[in-house]
Amino acid sequence: MTKKLNCILLIDDDEATNYIHQKVIVDLECAKRVITVHSGQEALDFLNNRETKDKLPIDLIFLDINMPAMNGWEFLEHYKKLDPLKKAKTILFMLSTSLNPNDRKIATEIDDVNGFETKPLTEEKIIKIFKTHFS
C-alpha cells in the first residue's frame, strides 16, 4: 500500500484476534504504528491520557462489540463525549463476529461509526476501507 496511516487502534478483548489483526496490518505496511487495548475502558483511558502533541494521531479505530466490563456500544457513549482533539482524524469501524443484522443497523445510526465489518480483519477489508476513507 502506498498510503500509510499514522496509527491504528485495535480495541478487542481477545488476544488471538488482536494478534491476527495486527499481523494483517503490519504485513500490509499500512500504518506507522498499531496499538492494541483489551477493553473499552482501557481505550478511553488511553485516548484521554495521551499527549497528542508528541504522539502520532490515531487515524483508524477498530472496535469490537462484545467485551466484558465495557462493551463497544458503551465505549461509543463515552467516546462521543471526548474532546474533539482526541478524536481528530479518526475513522471508527465496528469489527465483530456478530451476525445480528440489528448490530449493523445500530452501528450505521451512530455518527462516530464509519462502518461495520465482520471478523476477521483481512487485507481485502483494509484495502476497501483505505479506498473509501483515505484515498
Side-chain angles (χ1 to χ4, degrees), residues 1 3-8 10 17-36 60 62 121-123 126 130:
M1 288 191 113
K3 172 84 172 164
K4 198 171 221 181
L5 300 184
N6 291 299
C7 184
I8 296 175
L10 300 172
T17 298
N18 282 331
Y19 175 81
I20 292 165
H21 292 170
Q22 189 166 7
K23 181 164 179 19
V24 170
I25 292 165
V26 169
D27 287 351
L28 268 175
E29 298 181 355
C30 62
K32 295 174 187 170
R33 186 169 181 206
V34 181
I35 297 169
T36 59
L60 178 59
F62 288 109
L121 190 57
T122 63
E123 287 186 9
I126 292 175
F130 267 66

PDB file of all heavy atoms in Angstrom, residues 1 3-8 10 17-36 60 62 121-123 126 130:
ATOM      1  N   MET A   1       0.847  -1.186   0.000  1.00  0.00           N
ATOM      2  CA  MET A   1       0.000   0.000   0.000  1.00  0.00           C
ATOM      3  C   MET A   1       0.887   1.242   0.000  1.00  0.00           C
ATOM      4  O   MET A   1       1.882   1.279   0.702  1.00  0.00           O
ATOM      5  CB  MET A   1      -0.876   0.023   1.250  1.00  0.00           C
ATOM      6  CG  MET A   1      -1.987  -0.986   1.254  1.00  0.00           C
ATOM      7  SD  MET A   1      -3.123  -0.661   2.600  1.00  0.00           S
ATOM      8  CE  MET A   1      -4.527  -0.207   1.658  1.00  0.00           C
ATOM      9  N   LYS A   3      -0.332   4.471   0.689  1.00  0.00           N
ATOM     10  CA  LYS A   3      -0.766   5.339   1.782  1.00  0.00           C
ATOM     11  C   LYS A   3      -0.478   4.642   3.105  1.00  0.00           C
ATOM     12  O   LYS A   3      -0.808   3.479   3.298  1.00  0.00           O
ATOM     13  CB  LYS A   3      -2.268   5.618   1.650  1.00  0.00           C
ATOM     14  CG  LYS A   3      -2.891   6.349   2.802  1.00  0.00           C
ATOM     15  CD  LYS A   3      -2.703   7.820   2.682  1.00  0.00           C
ATOM     16  CE  LYS A   3      -3.509   8.523   3.767  1.00  0.00           C
ATOM     17  NZ  LYS A   3      -3.108   9.867   3.953  1.00  0.00           N
ATOM     18  N   LYS A   4       0.161   5.378   4.025  1.00  0.00           N
ATOM     19  CA  LYS A   4       0.473   4.808   5.329  1.00  0.00           C
ATOM     20  C   LYS A   4      -0.159   5.705   6.396  1.00  0.00           C
ATOM     21  O   LYS A   4       0.119   6.904   6.443  1.00  0.00           O
ATOM     22  CB  LYS A   4       1.985   4.726   5.511  1.00  0.00           C
ATOM     23  CG  LYS A   4       2.420   3.782   6.593  1.00  0.00           C
ATOM     24  CD  LYS A   4       3.920   3.589   6.555  1.00  0.00           C
ATOM     25  CE  LYS A   4       4.213   2.141   6.792  1.00  0.00           C
ATOM     26  NZ  LYS A   4       5.623   1.829   6.800  1.00  0.00           N
ATOM     27  N   LEU A   5      -1.006   5.123   7.229  1.00  0.00           N
ATOM     28  CA  LEU A   5      -1.629   5.870   8.316  1.00  0.00           C
ATOM     29  C   LEU A   5      -0.619   6.071   9.436  1.00  0.00           C
ATOM     30  O   LEU A   5       0.350   5.318   9.562  1.00  0.00           O
ATOM     31  CB  LEU A   5      -2.848   5.127   8.847  1.00  0.00           C
ATOM     32  CG  LEU A   5      -3.983   4.866   7.865  1.00  0.00           C
ATOM     33  CD1 LEU A   5      -5.150   4.204   8.572  1.00  0.00           C
ATOM     34  CD2 LEU A   5      -4.435   6.145   7.191  1.00  0.00           C
ATOM     35  N   ASN A   6      -0.878   7.064  10.262  1.00  0.00           N
ATOM     36  CA  ASN A   6      -0.018   7.294  11.424  1.00  0.00           C
ATOM     37  C   ASN A   6      -0.170   6.184  12.444  1.00  0.00           C
ATOM     38  O   ASN A   6       0.799   5.571  12.851  1.00  0.00           O
ATOM     39  CB  ASN A   6      -0.346   8.645  12.071  1.00  0.00           C
ATOM     40  CG  ASN A   6       0.068   9.791  11.201  1.00  0.00           C
ATOM     41  OD1 ASN A   6       1.241   9.941  10.889  1.00  0.00           O
ATOM     42  ND2 ASN A   6      -0.887  10.588  10.776  1.00  0.00           N
ATOM     43  N   CYS A   7      -1.437   5.925  12.840  1.00  0.00           N
ATOM     44  CA  CYS A   7      -1.664   4.966  13.916  1.00  0.00           C
ATOM     45  C   CYS A   7      -3.051   4.340  13.780  1.00  0.00           C
ATOM     46  O   CYS A   7      -4.023   5.030  13.480  1.00  0.00           O
ATOM     47  CB  CYS A   7      -1.534   5.676  15.262  1.00  0.00           C
ATOM     48  SG  CYS A   7      -1.666   4.597  16.684  1.00  0.00           S
ATOM     49  N   ILE A   8      -3.112   3.030  14.026  1.00  0.00           N
ATOM     50  CA  ILE A   8      -4.381   2.304  14.082  1.00  0.00           C
ATOM     51  C   ILE A   8      -4.536   1.757  15.491  1.00  0.00           C
ATOM     52  O   ILE A   8      -3.597   1.189  16.047  1.00  0.00           O
ATOM     53  CB  ILE A   8      -4.411   1.150  13.053  1.00  0.00           C
ATOM     54  CG1 ILE A   8      -4.345   1.706  11.627  1.00  0.00           C
ATOM     55  CG2 ILE A   8      -5.667   0.287  13.238  1.00  0.00           C
ATOM     56  CD1 ILE A   8      -4.250   0.652  10.542  1.00  0.00           C
ATOM     57  N   LEU A  10      -6.590  -0.862  17.859  1.00  0.00           N
ATOM     58  CA  LEU A  10      -7.434  -2.051  17.907  1.00  0.00           C
ATOM     59  C   LEU A  10      -7.997  -2.184  19.316  1.00  0.00           C
ATOM     60  O   LEU A  10      -7.235  -2.231  20.286  1.00  0.00           O
ATOM     61  CB  LEU A  10      -6.621  -3.307  17.580  1.00  0.00           C
ATOM     62  CG  LEU A  10      -5.941  -3.365  16.219  1.00  0.00           C
ATOM     63  CD1 LEU A  10      -5.025  -4.577  16.142  1.00  0.00           C
ATOM     64  CD2 LEU A  10      -6.972  -3.397  15.111  1.00  0.00           C
ATOM     65  N   THR A  17      -7.280 -12.595  18.436  1.00  0.00           N
ATOM     66  CA  THR A  17      -7.841 -11.699  17.425  1.00  0.00           C
ATOM     67  C   THR A  17      -6.947 -10.488  17.233  1.00  0.00           C
ATOM     68  O   THR A  17      -6.651 -10.093  16.096  1.00  0.00           O
ATOM     69  CB  THR A  17      -9.262 -11.267  17.827  1.00  0.00           C
ATOM     70  OG1 THR A  17     -10.094 -12.434  17.900  1.00  0.00           O
ATOM     71  CG2 THR A  17      -9.843 -10.284  16.838  1.00  0.00           C
ATOM     72  N   ASN A  18      -6.497  -9.889  18.332  1.00  0.00           N
ATOM     73  CA  ASN A  18      -5.597  -8.738  18.230  1.00  0.00           C
ATOM     74  C   ASN A  18      -4.318  -9.107  17.491  1.00  0.00           C
ATOM     75  O   ASN A  18      -3.820  -8.346  16.660  1.00  0.00           O
ATOM     76  CB  ASN A  18      -5.259  -8.178  19.613  1.00  0.00           C
ATOM     77  CG  ASN A  18      -6.379  -7.337  20.186  1.00  0.00           C
ATOM     78  OD1 ASN A  18      -7.146  -6.734  19.453  1.00  0.00           O
ATOM     79  ND2 ASN A  18      -6.457  -7.291  21.494  1.00  0.00           N
ATOM     80  N   TYR A  19      -3.783 -10.285  17.784  1.00  0.00           N
ATOM     81  CA  TYR A  19      -2.555 -10.736  17.129  1.00  0.00           C
ATOM     82  C   TYR A  19      -2.766 -10.865  15.617  1.00  0.00           C
ATOM     83  O   TYR A  19      -1.964 -10.371  14.820  1.00  0.00           O
ATOM     84  CB  TYR A  19      -2.086 -12.072  17.721  1.00  0.00           C
ATOM     85  CG  TYR A  19      -0.899 -12.641  16.996  1.00  0.00           C
ATOM     86  CD1 TYR A  19       0.388 -12.176  17.264  1.00  0.00           C
ATOM     87  CD2 TYR A  19      -1.061 -13.615  16.017  1.00  0.00           C
ATOM     88  CE1 TYR A  19       1.482 -12.679  16.567  1.00  0.00           C
ATOM     89  CE2 TYR A  19       0.028 -14.119  15.320  1.00  0.00           C
ATOM     90  CZ  TYR A  19       1.296 -13.653  15.603  1.00  0.00           C
ATOM     91  OH  TYR A  19       2.372 -14.140  14.910  1.00  0.00           O
ATOM     92  N   ILE A  20      -3.847 -11.521  15.218  1.00  0.00           N
ATOM     93  CA  ILE A  20      -4.137 -11.721  13.800  1.00  0.00           C
ATOM     94  C   ILE A  20      -4.347 -10.379  13.098  1.00  0.00           C
ATOM     95  O   ILE A  20      -3.790 -10.133  12.020  1.00  0.00           O
ATOM     96  CB  ILE A  20      -5.362 -12.635  13.609  1.00  0.00           C
ATOM     97  CG1 ILE A  20      -5.021 -14.056  14.059  1.00  0.00           C
ATOM     98  CG2 ILE A  20      -5.862 -12.614  12.172  1.00  0.00           C
ATOM     99  CD1 ILE A  20      -6.226 -14.955  14.256  1.00  0.00           C
ATOM    100  N   HIS A  21      -5.136  -9.518  13.698  1.00  0.00           N
ATOM    101  CA  HIS A  21      -5.423  -8.225  13.075  1.00  0.00           C
ATOM    102  C   HIS A  21      -4.170  -7.364  12.978  1.00  0.00           C
ATOM    103  O   HIS A  21      -3.940  -6.693  11.956  1.00  0.00           O
ATOM    104  CB  HIS A  21      -6.531  -7.507  13.831  1.00  0.00           C
ATOM    105  CG  HIS A  21      -7.849  -8.193  13.689  1.00  0.00           C
ATOM    106  ND1 HIS A  21      -8.949  -7.839  14.435  1.00  0.00           N
ATOM    107  CD2 HIS A  21      -8.260  -9.218  12.904  1.00  0.00           C
ATOM    108  CE1 HIS A  21      -9.973  -8.605  14.105  1.00  0.00           C
ATOM    109  NE2 HIS A  21      -9.568  -9.457  13.185  1.00  0.00           N
ATOM    110  N   GLN A  22      -3.358  -7.394  14.026  1.00  0.00           N
ATOM    111  CA  GLN A  22      -2.112  -6.623  13.997  1.00  0.00           C
ATOM    112  C   GLN A  22      -1.189  -7.169  12.894  1.00  0.00           C
ATOM    113  O   GLN A  22      -0.562  -6.397  12.171  1.00  0.00           O
ATOM    114  CB  GLN A  22      -1.421  -6.678  15.358  1.00  0.00           C
ATOM    115  CG  GLN A  22      -0.243  -5.741  15.456  1.00  0.00           C
ATOM    116  CD  GLN A  22       0.223  -5.537  16.886  1.00  0.00           C
ATOM    117  OE1 GLN A  22      -0.246  -6.190  17.816  1.00  0.00           O
ATOM    118  NE2 GLN A  22       1.144  -4.628  17.064  1.00  0.00           N
ATOM    119  N   LYS A  23      -1.131  -8.474  12.757  1.00  0.00           N
ATOM    120  CA  LYS A  23      -0.284  -9.079  11.725  1.00  0.00           C
ATOM    121  C   LYS A  23      -0.737  -8.666  10.326  1.00  0.00           C
ATOM    122  O   LYS A  23       0.097  -8.324   9.475  1.00  0.00           O
ATOM    123  CB  LYS A  23      -0.291 -10.601  11.861  1.00  0.00           C
ATOM    124  CG  LYS A  23       0.586 -11.280  10.830  1.00  0.00           C
ATOM    125  CD  LYS A  23       0.890 -12.697  11.163  1.00  0.00           C
ATOM    126  CE  LYS A  23       1.739 -13.426  10.155  1.00  0.00           C
ATOM    127  NZ  LYS A  23       2.529 -12.689   9.216  1.00  0.00           N
ATOM    128  N   VAL A  24      -2.033  -8.670  10.066  1.00  0.00           N
ATOM    129  CA  VAL A  24      -2.547  -8.257   8.758  1.00  0.00           C
ATOM    130  C   VAL A  24      -2.165  -6.804   8.476  1.00  0.00           C
ATOM    131  O   VAL A  24      -1.706  -6.468   7.373  1.00  0.00           O
ATOM    132  CB  VAL A  24      -4.088  -8.441   8.684  1.00  0.00           C
ATOM    133  CG1 VAL A  24      -4.666  -7.794   7.434  1.00  0.00           C
ATOM    134  CG2 VAL A  24      -4.460  -9.910   8.731  1.00  0.00           C
ATOM    135  N   ILE A  25      -2.307  -5.945   9.464  1.00  0.00           N
ATOM    136  CA  ILE A  25      -1.980  -4.526   9.301  1.00  0.00           C
ATOM    137  C   ILE A  25      -0.484  -4.339   9.053  1.00  0.00           C
ATOM    138  O   ILE A  25      -0.079  -3.611   8.140  1.00  0.00           O
ATOM    139  CB  ILE A  25      -2.445  -3.724  10.536  1.00  0.00           C
ATOM    140  CG1 ILE A  25      -3.976  -3.708  10.604  1.00  0.00           C
ATOM    141  CG2 ILE A  25      -1.886  -2.302  10.512  1.00  0.00           C
ATOM    142  CD1 ILE A  25      -4.544  -3.263  11.930  1.00  0.00           C
ATOM    143  N   VAL A  26       0.342  -5.020   9.835  1.00  0.00           N
ATOM    144  CA  VAL A  26       1.794  -4.909   9.679  1.00  0.00           C
ATOM    145  C   VAL A  26       2.232  -5.469   8.321  1.00  0.00           C
ATOM    146  O   VAL A  26       3.056  -4.856   7.628  1.00  0.00           O
ATOM    147  CB  VAL A  26       2.522  -5.617  10.848  1.00  0.00           C
ATOM    148  CG1 VAL A  26       4.014  -5.747  10.572  1.00  0.00           C
ATOM    149  CG2 VAL A  26       2.285  -4.857  12.153  1.00  0.00           C
ATOM    150  N   ASP A  27       1.679  -6.596   7.918  1.00  0.00           N
ATOM    151  CA  ASP A  27       2.041  -7.190   6.628  1.00  0.00           C
ATOM    152  C   ASP A  27       1.678  -6.276   5.458  1.00  0.00           C
ATOM    153  O   ASP A  27       2.386  -6.238   4.453  1.00  0.00           O
ATOM    154  CB  ASP A  27       1.370  -8.552   6.439  1.00  0.00           C
ATOM    155  CG  ASP A  27       1.984  -9.645   7.308  1.00  0.00           C
ATOM    156  OD1 ASP A  27       3.034  -9.404   7.945  1.00  0.00           O
ATOM    157  OD2 ASP A  27       1.393 -10.741   7.368  1.00  0.00           O
ATOM    158  N   LEU A  28       0.589  -5.533   5.590  1.00  0.00           N
ATOM    159  CA  LEU A  28       0.184  -4.596   4.540  1.00  0.00           C
ATOM    160  C   LEU A  28       1.016  -3.305   4.563  1.00  0.00           C
ATOM    161  O   LEU A  28       0.934  -2.519   3.619  1.00  0.00           O
ATOM    162  CB  LEU A  28      -1.291  -4.221   4.697  1.00  0.00           C
ATOM    163  CG  LEU A  28      -2.295  -5.042   3.942  1.00  0.00           C
ATOM    164  CD1 LEU A  28      -3.715  -4.618   4.290  1.00  0.00           C
ATOM    165  CD2 LEU A  28      -2.084  -4.974   2.450  1.00  0.00           C
ATOM    166  N   GLU A  29       1.741  -3.095   5.647  1.00  0.00           N
ATOM    167  CA  GLU A  29       2.544  -1.876   5.829  1.00  0.00           C
ATOM    168  C   GLU A  29       1.688  -0.628   5.630  1.00  0.00           C
ATOM    169  O   GLU A  29       2.079   0.314   4.939  1.00  0.00           O
ATOM    170  CB  GLU A  29       3.739  -1.871   4.874  1.00  0.00           C
ATOM    171  CG  GLU A  29       4.693  -3.018   5.118  1.00  0.00           C
ATOM    172  CD  GLU A  29       5.897  -3.009   4.183  1.00  0.00           C
ATOM    173  OE1 GLU A  29       5.969  -2.153   3.259  1.00  0.00           O
ATOM    174  OE2 GLU A  29       6.773  -3.860   4.379  1.00  0.00           O
ATOM    175  N   CYS A  30       0.507  -0.619   6.265  1.00  0.00           N
ATOM    176  CA  CYS A  30      -0.433   0.480   6.067  1.00  0.00           C
ATOM    177  C   CYS A  30      -0.482   1.452   7.243  1.00  0.00           C
ATOM    178  O   CYS A  30      -1.237   2.422   7.200  1.00  0.00           O
ATOM    179  CB  CYS A  30      -1.821  -0.065   5.761  1.00  0.00           C
ATOM    180  SG  CYS A  30      -2.527  -1.065   7.075  1.00  0.00           S
ATOM    181  N   ALA A  31       0.326   1.217   8.280  1.00  0.00           N
ATOM    182  CA  ALA A  31       0.347   2.121   9.427  1.00  0.00           C
ATOM    183  C   ALA A  31       1.746   2.169  10.027  1.00  0.00           C
ATOM    184  O   ALA A  31       2.446   1.153  10.055  1.00  0.00           O
ATOM    185  CB  ALA A  31      -0.657   1.670  10.484  1.00  0.00           C
ATOM    186  N   LYS A  32       2.107   3.348  10.499  1.00  0.00           N
ATOM    187  CA  LYS A  32       3.399   3.506  11.162  1.00  0.00           C
ATOM    188  C   LYS A  32       3.401   2.820  12.524  1.00  0.00           C
ATOM    189  O   LYS A  32       4.433   2.372  12.997  1.00  0.00           O
ATOM    190  CB  LYS A  32       3.724   4.990  11.332  1.00  0.00           C
ATOM    191  CG  LYS A  32       3.913   5.716  10.026  1.00  0.00           C
ATOM    192  CD  LYS A  32       4.098   7.206  10.257  1.00  0.00           C
ATOM    193  CE  LYS A  32       4.103   7.945   8.924  1.00  0.00           C
ATOM    194  NZ  LYS A  32       4.046   9.396   9.105  1.00  0.00           N
ATOM    195  N   ARG A  33       2.202   2.767  13.145  1.00  0.00           N
ATOM    196  CA  ARG A  33       2.094   2.179  14.478  1.00  0.00           C
ATOM    197  C   ARG A  33       0.727   1.527  14.651  1.00  0.00           C
ATOM    198  O   ARG A  33      -0.271   2.023  14.136  1.00  0.00           O
ATOM    199  CB  ARG A  33       2.277   3.285  15.521  1.00  0.00           C
ATOM    200  CG  ARG A  33       2.331   2.791  16.929  1.00  0.00           C
ATOM    201  CD  ARG A  33       2.779   3.878  17.875  1.00  0.00           C
ATOM    202  NE  ARG A  33       2.837   3.344  19.213  1.00  0.00           N
ATOM    203  CZ  ARG A  33       2.711   4.065  20.303  1.00  0.00           C
ATOM    204  NH1 ARG A  33       2.551   5.361  20.214  1.00  0.00           N
ATOM    205  NH2 ARG A  33       2.759   3.507  21.485  1.00  0.00           N
ATOM    206  N   VAL A  34       0.699   0.418  15.375  1.00  0.00           N
ATOM    207  CA  VAL A  34      -0.552  -0.257  15.732  1.00  0.00           C
ATOM    208  C   VAL A  34      -0.566  -0.401  17.247  1.00  0.00           C
ATOM    209  O   VAL A  34       0.390  -0.900  17.839  1.00  0.00           O
ATOM    210  CB  VAL A  34      -0.664  -1.651  15.078  1.00  0.00           C
ATOM    211  CG1 VAL A  34      -1.983  -2.306  15.457  1.00  0.00           C
ATOM    212  CG2 VAL A  34      -0.516  -1.565  13.574  1.00  0.00           C
ATOM    213  N   ILE A  35      -1.640   0.037  17.863  1.00  0.00           N
ATOM    214  CA  ILE A  35      -1.792  -0.061  19.321  1.00  0.00           C
ATOM    215  C   ILE A  35      -2.985  -0.961  19.597  1.00  0.00           C
ATOM    216  O   ILE A  35      -4.041  -0.822  18.967  1.00  0.00           O
ATOM    217  CB  ILE A  35      -2.016   1.323  19.951  1.00  0.00           C
ATOM    218  CG1 ILE A  35      -0.792   2.202  19.716  1.00  0.00           C
ATOM    219  CG2 ILE A  35      -2.337   1.203  21.441  1.00  0.00           C
ATOM    220  CD1 ILE A  35      -0.986   3.642  20.057  1.00  0.00           C
ATOM    221  N   THR A  36      -2.819  -1.891  20.536  1.00  0.00           N
ATOM    222  CA  THR A  36      -3.935  -2.745  20.923  1.00  0.00           C
ATOM    223  C   THR A  36      -4.270  -2.511  22.393  1.00  0.00           C
ATOM    224  O   THR A  36      -3.373  -2.378  23.230  1.00  0.00           O
ATOM    225  CB  THR A  36      -3.619  -4.244  20.712  1.00  0.00           C
ATOM    226  OG1 THR A  36      -2.484  -4.592  21.474  1.00  0.00           O
ATOM    227  CG2 THR A  36      -3.362  -4.546  19.265  1.00  0.00           C
ATOM    228  N   LEU A  60      -7.370   5.542  12.572  1.00  0.00           N
ATOM    229  CA  LEU A  60      -8.370   4.489  12.385  1.00  0.00           C
ATOM    230  C   LEU A  60      -8.502   3.668  13.659  1.00  0.00           C
ATOM    231  O   LEU A  60      -7.489   3.294  14.266  1.00  0.00           O
ATOM    232  CB  LEU A  60      -7.929   3.586  11.220  1.00  0.00           C
ATOM    233  CG  LEU A  60      -8.771   2.376  10.848  1.00  0.00           C
ATOM    234  CD1 LEU A  60     -10.195   2.766  10.471  1.00  0.00           C
ATOM    235  CD2 LEU A  60      -8.115   1.617   9.695  1.00  0.00           C
ATOM    236  N   PHE A  62     -10.513   0.218  15.182  1.00  0.00           N
ATOM    237  CA  PHE A  62     -11.355  -0.964  15.004  1.00  0.00           C
ATOM    238  C   PHE A  62     -11.873  -1.356  16.381  1.00  0.00           C
ATOM    239  O   PHE A  62     -11.088  -1.622  17.286  1.00  0.00           O
ATOM    240  CB  PHE A  62     -10.568  -2.124  14.385  1.00  0.00           C
ATOM    241  CG  PHE A  62     -10.252  -1.922  12.937  1.00  0.00           C
ATOM    242  CD1 PHE A  62      -8.954  -1.672  12.524  1.00  0.00           C
ATOM    243  CD2 PHE A  62     -11.261  -1.984  11.979  1.00  0.00           C
ATOM    244  CE1 PHE A  62      -8.654  -1.490  11.180  1.00  0.00           C
ATOM    245  CE2 PHE A  62     -10.968  -1.799  10.626  1.00  0.00           C
ATOM    246  CZ  PHE A  62      -9.664  -1.547  10.232  1.00  0.00           C
ATOM    247  N   LEU A 121     -10.462  -9.438  10.382  1.00  0.00           N
ATOM    248  CA  LEU A 121      -9.985  -8.367   9.528  1.00  0.00           C
ATOM    249  C   LEU A 121      -9.065  -8.987   8.475  1.00  0.00           C
ATOM    250  O   LEU A 121      -8.190  -9.783   8.808  1.00  0.00           O
ATOM    251  CB  LEU A 121      -9.218  -7.357  10.375  1.00  0.00           C
ATOM    252  CG  LEU A 121      -8.819  -6.043   9.747  1.00  0.00           C
ATOM    253  CD1 LEU A 121     -10.038  -5.310   9.218  1.00  0.00           C
ATOM    254  CD2 LEU A 121      -8.102  -5.183  10.777  1.00  0.00           C
ATOM    255  N   THR A 122      -9.293  -8.660   7.224  1.00  0.00           N
ATOM    256  CA  THR A 122      -8.490  -9.218   6.136  1.00  0.00           C
ATOM    257  C   THR A 122      -7.845  -8.095   5.341  1.00  0.00           C
ATOM    258  O   THR A 122      -8.242  -6.919   5.462  1.00  0.00           O
ATOM    259  CB  THR A 122      -9.369 -10.040   5.176  1.00  0.00           C
ATOM    260  OG1 THR A 122     -10.332  -9.154   4.567  1.00  0.00           O
ATOM    261  CG2 THR A 122     -10.076 -11.183   5.881  1.00  0.00           C
ATOM    262  N   GLU A 123      -6.881  -8.464   4.512  1.00  0.00           N
ATOM    263  CA  GLU A 123      -6.243  -7.473   3.638  1.00  0.00           C
ATOM    264  C   GLU A 123      -7.290  -6.810   2.745  1.00  0.00           C
ATOM    265  O   GLU A 123      -7.255  -5.596   2.542  1.00  0.00           O
ATOM    266  CB  GLU A 123      -5.171  -8.131   2.775  1.00  0.00           C
ATOM    267  CG  GLU A 123      -3.930  -8.504   3.546  1.00  0.00           C
ATOM    268  CD  GLU A 123      -2.816  -9.028   2.660  1.00  0.00           C
ATOM    269  OE1 GLU A 123      -2.930  -8.960   1.412  1.00  0.00           O
ATOM    270  OE2 GLU A 123      -1.806  -9.494   3.231  1.00  0.00           O
ATOM    271  N   ILE A 126      -9.249  -4.174   4.678  1.00  0.00           N
ATOM    272  CA  ILE A 126      -8.439  -2.977   4.933  1.00  0.00           C
ATOM    273  C   ILE A 126      -8.288  -2.160   3.652  1.00  0.00           C
ATOM    274  O   ILE A 126      -8.430  -0.929   3.673  1.00  0.00           O
ATOM    275  CB  ILE A 126      -7.064  -3.352   5.514  1.00  0.00           C
ATOM    276  CG1 ILE A 126      -7.233  -3.918   6.917  1.00  0.00           C
ATOM    277  CG2 ILE A 126      -6.138  -2.134   5.542  1.00  0.00           C
ATOM    278  CD1 ILE A 126      -5.962  -4.442   7.539  1.00  0.00           C
ATOM    279  N   PHE A 130      -9.411   1.668   3.120  1.00  0.00           N
ATOM    280  CA  PHE A 130      -8.466   2.694   2.668  1.00  0.00           C
ATOM    281  C   PHE A 130      -8.990   3.413   1.427  1.00  0.00           C
ATOM    282  O   PHE A 130      -8.913   4.628   1.336  1.00  0.00           O
ATOM    283  CB  PHE A 130      -7.100   2.072   2.385  1.00  0.00           C
ATOM    284  CG  PHE A 130      -6.179   2.121   3.566  1.00  0.00           C
ATOM    285  CD1 PHE A 130      -6.452   1.398   4.711  1.00  0.00           C
ATOM    286  CD2 PHE A 130      -5.046   2.888   3.532  1.00  0.00           C
ATOM    287  CE1 PHE A 130      -5.612   1.439   5.799  1.00  0.00           C
ATOM    288  CE2 PHE A 130      -4.177   2.955   4.616  1.00  0.00           C
ATOM    289  CZ  PHE A 130      -4.470   2.216   5.752  1.00  0.00           C
TER     290      PHE A 130
END
